[in-house]
Amino acid sequence: MEKLSVIASSPLFEMLSPAELTRLAELARVRSFGAGEVVFEEGDLGDSLFVIVDGQVEVLRRLPGGEARPLTVLSSPEFFGEMGLIDKEYRSATVRAKTPANLLQLTAQDLRAFRQSHGDGFTFVVVNIARSLSARLREANARLASKV
């Protein structure tokens, strides 16, 4: 698996130059998860963004009684965990591998290093994170409205 091609295919990193994409690929770590294995738990402190290389992950939310309710299933080249990079808050959901999955992980520290060497590219990434969050909020609002 070539990290560079995965990063280049992610909509989060569109508009980055080849040098910027190469730098992100150098910073990213590959993490492998078996089916059912937890990537992060609701309540963990967020510090990483993940890009799906292959496989699927599911996002779950715990109900007041403790039962986990699936919210969505994501696959390549989608990304998740970006909120933890923005607000440095605790995770609001659990993510686990639905199938065996390989993920690229970029930590907040990685993105700070990227910002120092590629400030303009970092701005594009932040704008794309904001677009992603906005779209996900609109989708959640639409789902809520359809249940009323």
Side-chain angles (χ1 to χ4, degrees):
M1 142 192 31
E2 187 175 314
K3 294 189 293 184
L4 180 58
S5 65
V6 172
I7 285 179
S9 71
S10 174
L12 183 60
F13 306 116
E14 67 186 10
M15 298 180 66
L16 294 185
S17 71
E20 291 165 332
L21 293 169
T22 298
R23 179 65 177 139
L24 281 174
E26 290 168 354
L27 293 167
R29 280 165 253 13
V30 177
R31 306 251 335 260
S32 298
F33 295 86
E37 199 172 345
V38 173
V39 177
F40 58 74
E41 291 272 355
E42 184 175 336
D44 289 350
L45 189 59
D47 75 338
S48 295
L49 159 76
F50 295 88
V51 179
I52 302 169
V53 175
D54 56 43
Q56 294 182 323
V57 300
E58 59 183 342
V59 181
L60 307 144
R61 187 75 195 263
R62 298 253 177 242
L63 299 174
E67 177 188 350
R69 183 175 132 219
L71 298 177
T72 191
V73 174
L74 304 171
S75 56
S76 181
E78 294 179 284
F79 57 91
F80 60 93
E82 70 278 8
M83 286 174 51
L85 294 175
I86 293 173
D87 57 18
K88 295 184 178 142
E89 292 291 329
Y90 295 97
R91 302 284 190 186
S92 60
T94 295
V95 175
R96 72 176 175 210
K98 185 171 179 67
T99 66
N102 290 301
L103 311 174
L104 292 182
Q105 179 182 19
L106 286 162
T107 66
Q109 181 178 347
D110 297 332
L111 290 176
R112 280 192 298 277
F114 179 70
R115 182 183 66 209
Q116 289 175 352
S117 59
H118 296 89
D120 289 342
F122 179 78
T123 300
F124 283 127
V125 171
V126 170
V127 167
N128 284 340
I129 287 173
R131 284 185 183 143
S132 166
L133 292 173
S134 177
R136 289 178 185 181
L137 285 171
R138 280 194 301 278
E139 290 169 10
N141 282 335
R143 282 193 306 271
L144 286 172
S146 71
K147 293 181 181 183
V148 174

